[in-house]
Every structure is written in C-alpha cells, then in structure tokens.
Amino acid sequence: MEFELRRHRLASLIEAQADRLGPSVSSGTHVVVVLSHPTRYMSNDIPYHFHQNQDFLYLSGFLEPDSALVLYGKGRPDQAALFVPRRDPGRELWDGARSGKDGASALTGIDRVHSTEELGVVLKSLKGTVLWYDSSQPVHPRLHQTHLTPVLEAGPMPRSVRPLIHSLRALKSRAEVELMQAAGHITAQAFRRTMSFSRGDVDEAVLFAVFDFENRLHGANFLAYPPVVAGGNRANTLHYINNNQIIKDGDLVLLDGGCEYFGYVSDITRTWPVNGKFSTAQAELYEAVLEVQRSCLSLCSPGVSLDHIYSTMLALIGRQLRRLGVVPPSTSDADLLKAARRYCPHHVGHYLGMDVHDTPELSRSQPLQPGMAITIEPGVYIGEGNDEAPERFRGLGVRIEDDVVIRDQGGPLILSSEAPKTITDVEQACALR
C-alpha cells in the first residue's frame, strides 16, 4: 500500500537524521505526531467544506477531521497508530456517517486504531524521548491544547517533522502523477469550454461559473483555489478574485484556475480575447510572453533549479521588453533585469501537488529531481496608468502557466498541454460557440 510505504520512508529519513545527531538521539524512542484538520465554520454551525491537512492525508489516506496519526519506535518510528473520533449517532444525523475505529482500520490498513480522546494517554504511555511534531503553528488547535500541550510541557523541545514530509511529498509516485494528469486534463477541457463561451461584454462572474461547472462536470471534486478571472486592466492585479466586473468587447481576460482531483491539484493560466480575436498589440505582447514561457519550459530538467529558471525568465523578459519598445533600446542589461522585475513581479513558478503552492518547506534554489511537479508561469503586466510604456500596450496583462513534471528522459511532462496556448489554438477554441 502506497501510504504504508510513505510512512516507512519517513521513518527512514528520521532514522538517518537521528544518526547524524548522535547516539543519545538515534537510540531513543521516536514519536511522530501529525494531526488532521478540524472542521471550520463560516458562521455559527454552518461548516465550510472540509479539507484535510495534506501532510496527514499523505501519510494516512484518511479524510475525516479531528484525527491524529502517531508513528513510534526505538531508533526508527516504523509502527503506526491512528486516532479517530468515536461514532456518535446524534452527530452523524447532522454531519453524515463517520468511519469509527473499525472503519478507519479497514480503510487505511492501520491495525492499531484508538479513539481521539485517548491520544494524550497513549502518547504518555509511549515514553518517547524524541518527539517529532510541529508545535509552532498547530493545524488542530483543540487537539494540540488538550493532548499535545501536556506532553510538550513535560518533555524536551520537539523536532519539526514537516520538512521531512515535504521532501517526500515533493517526489511524486507514478500513481500521484496519474492523478495530476487527470486534474490537468479536466482543467484543460474547462479552459476550452470557457473560451468557447466567451463573447464581448461578458461578466467575469459568468466565465467563473462556466469554468467551475466544467471542472466539476468532468470529474473534479472542486476548484483548487479561488480563481482569478480578470478582464482588461484588472489582469494587472495579480490576486484579483472579485470576478464581478463586465469584460468589454476587445479586452483580454486572464483566467488563473485549477481543480482538485482526489487530493491532487492543477494550476493553469491562460489569457485570451473575449471577442475571440487578438488585436495586433495584444498578439505582440502575448507572443512575447509565450516565447519566454516556451524557453523556460525547455529548461525543466533534473539538476536545474526553479531559481535558475527564474533568473533566465527575467533576462528573457527584459529582452522582450526592449524589443517591444516598452523600455528604450539603450537600456543596459542591469536595468533590463530591474524592468523585468517591475513588469513581472512574481517568481517563474512553484512546486505543485496536493496543494497549489505545495511543499513550502522546500527551497526553490534546490536542484529539480525526476518526479517533482512545478508550474512555469511568466507574465508581463502593463497597467493602464503606465505612461512609460507604449500606449498600445497599456492596460494589458498576460500570463501563461503550465503544470510540469520533471522526468529523467524525454523532456518535461506537460500536464496542462491540452489547454489552448498558441494564438491559433486560442482563437479556434473561442470560435467553437
């Protein structure tokens, strides 16, 4: 079972790290605690849709709130115990059935299952000398306060387990890549349908609704994050999510969106003219960004870091800005880089997987490895109030983003390749009405 293999890999990482820390640590009893998320409420007793803590889900496969996973063992924490809420018929009448201890064991393959209220007692009984737990920002404040705080007060400072879990999560298995391929396929089809629904003077909210509907219709569990549906100059607000204004005939729309499919996400951006036809200036800027994006995609290989690709992106954007006349022909290379940072104020990409900005513990300076999933998303944003840029480009914002899996051979696997990207393909998609 893949979840059991992940737990054993984590145990091996902890064992190796403990060996480096000396005999007093390596010979001790290691206890690892990973908590689920709680149910969160939008108001009073109205819950948000439950979304599991990805680290807990990665190691257990268990999707219910108010739970905990404990790994333990002398020198190597390779034994597992799962803690889940008791069955409560009164509560289940409102919230739906819970697995209980027997159901949780059958679902996860973990033999040792306790009720959550036993967590503190069991932790004390394990007599751990080394605790691996992230206490600075508890993912479940109530379980932390009730069951972990007494253990923390009685013992030594815990060691953070999150960086080790994230190093495992960064390298996707074949099964994980297949789920991400499915998420990319679903969202690519949603982009096609949303492009075909576009027309002049369309409400951003309508395109949002079409995109959401098409993702769910084709199998997505839900959207991975609030999408950006930004018409015209609003595309120059990087995290614009109001999505409630009219996009005028002749304007571009920038849509940054993705779906979640059985725990794994897509994150794709496309920019297109809502009337289905790029103007000359729009096409010029779009082709410039597309050329940069293609060059960055070609660098996605083992041994290259995201930071290196980012540096390359800045140099390429600077040249494109000079070629387009956005900056003077005499601009020095150093000033070109400054201009590139001004016109593209974000990084070239981030890690991707169970979360949109996945495994944040990983530095973008580390070399990429086969199995890592990343985004590549250059953009150029020229606000309508920018009187330094040629007038024909003012108010245009273009970003093109693809999802990529690093491979040993055959070049990068583009998970979002079915989403229209060339000007010809985008205009053809818009024409299918």
Side-chain angles (χ1 to χ4, degrees):
M1 180 188 255
E2 183 149 342
F3 296 105
E4 184 177 11
L5 180 61
R6 292 168 183 175
R7 294 193 293 270
H8 280 288
R9 284 176 175 160
L10 178 61
S12 296
L13 287 180
I14 288 173
E15 183 180 35
Q17 186 152 321
D19 285 344
R20 289 194 294 271
L21 294 170
S24 62
V25 176
S26 62
S27 62
T29 298
H30 294 263
V31 176
V32 182
V33 182
V34 184
L35 302 179
S36 79
H37 275 156
T39 302
R40 294 190 169 94
Y41 294 86
M42 61 178 75
S43 64
N44 196 18
D45 58 351
I46 307 299
Y48 286 107
H49 180 89
F50 178 69
H51 199 260
Q52 188 58 280
N53 171 23
Q54 288 95 342
D55 289 346
F56 176 84
L57 180 61
Y58 180 80
L59 294 170
S60 71
F62 197 61
L63 284 164
E64 295 180 22
D66 308 324
S67 306
L69 176 69
V70 173
L71 307 177
Y72 60 97
K74 189 172 178 61
R76 176 186 170 85
D78 55 5
Q79 300 174 72
L82 186 64
F83 296 78
V84 303
R86 290 187 189 276
R87 299 289 303 272
D88 180 347
R91 195 64 254 168
E92 290 179 23
L93 176 67
W94 293 92
D95 298 335
R98 289 285 183 94
S99 298
K101 292 193 288 185
D102 292 341
S105 181
L107 282 167
T108 64
I110 297 173
D111 294 326
R112 185 176 180 181
V113 182
H114 300 267
S115 63
T116 304
E117 59 237 44
E118 298 175 86
L119 176 59
V121 173
V122 172
L123 287 175
K124 287 177 185 174
S125 73
L126 292 175
K127 296 183 170 59
T129 53
V130 186
L131 177 64
W132 298 81
Y133 173 68
D134 291 279
S135 59
S136 58
Q137 293 181 308
V139 298
H140 197 308
R142 181 176 60 79
L143 292 185
H144 171 82
Q145 186 63 36
T146 304
H147 300 288
L148 272 301
T149 298
V151 176
L152 294 168
E153 289 174 346
M157 183 74 71
R159 298 181 180 277
S160 176
V161 70
R162 188 178 293 131
L164 300 180
I165 298 173
H166 284 195
S167 70
L168 294 175
R169 278 177 52 188
L171 300 175
K172 308 299 187 283
S173 69
R174 182 181 298 178
E176 289 178 293
V177 171
E178 287 175 358
L179 289 170
M180 294 187 71
Q181 283 180 297
H185 170 75
I186 289 167
T187 300
Q189 300 313 308
F191 268 102
R192 284 187 178 277
R193 295 293 301 142
T194 308
M195 287 177 183
S196 73
F197 201 86
S198 301
R199 56 187 59 84
D201 292 343
V202 64
D203 196 322
E204 292 165 346
V206 171
L207 298 185
F208 181 170
V210 172
F211 184 76
D212 189 4
F213 170 77
E214 291 291 338
N215 273 284
R216 292 173 191 260
L217 182 67
H218 291 99
N221 302 114
F222 34 77
L223 294 184
Y225 53 95
V228 174
V229 186
N233 188 59
R234 293 178 294 282
N236 296 307
T237 301
L238 299 181
H239 284 172
Y240 172 84
I241 56 171
N242 289 343
N243 305 339
N244 61 2
Q245 299 297 304
I246 300 296
I247 309 171
K248 296 175 185 175
D249 191 345
D251 277 352
L252 295 175
V253 60
L254 185 157
L255 199 161
D256 181 338
C259 76
E260 182 165 325
Y261 181 77
F262 294 99
Y264 289 81
V265 305
S266 56
D267 177 9
I268 305 170
T269 306
R270 292 293 186 263
T271 310
W272 70 91
V274 287
N275 65 9
K277 204 74 180 168
F278 285 90
S279 71
T280 302
Q282 290 169 350
E284 277 188 88
L285 187 61
Y286 187 90
E287 284 287 2
V289 175
L290 182 57
E291 190 175 321
V292 172
Q293 205 243 6
R294 283 171 167 158
S295 296
C296 291
L297 287 173
S298 71
L299 295 174
C300 294
S301 57
V304 178
S305 70
L306 268 170
D307 279 348
H308 174 77
I309 301 172
Y310 172 59
S311 297
T312 303
M313 179 199 77
L314 290 176
L316 293 172
I317 286 177
R319 290 176 203 160
Q320 292 289 353
L321 292 173
R322 183 164 58 190
R323 185 182 66 80
L324 293 169
V326 176
V327 298
S330 59
T331 305
S332 67
D333 287 346
D335 286 339
L336 275 183
L337 288 177
K338 290 178 184 176
R341 290 190 188 95
R342 189 166 70 251
Y343 285 101
C344 183
H346 57 74
H347 207 282
V348 71
H350 51 79
Y351 300 110
L352 189 71
M354 300 180 85
D355 205 356
V356 180
H357 288 192
D358 204 46
T359 57
E361 295 286 338
L362 265 67
S363 168
R364 286 188 272 208
S365 66
Q366 75 173 58
L368 295 170
Q369 301 175 55
M372 284 184 168
I374 60 173
T375 65
I376 295 294
E377 49 182 304
V380 172
Y381 312 92
I382 305 174
E384 62 186 6
N386 183 342
D387 55 9
E388 296 178 6
E391 191 171 351
R392 69 185 187 280
F393 295 133
R394 294 175 195 171
L396 300 183
V398 174
R399 179 164 67 254
I400 304 171
E401 176 181 20
D402 280 311
D403 301 343
V404 179
V405 174
I406 306 301
R407 295 192 291 192
D408 256 330
Q409 299 175 6
L413 173 64
I414 312 298
L415 303 173
S416 46
S417 60
E418 295 172 278
K421 188 164 70 170
T422 67
I423 284 181
T424 299
D425 287 348
V426 168
E427 291 184 343
Q428 285 179 351
C430 291
L432 294 173
R433 294 176 179 167

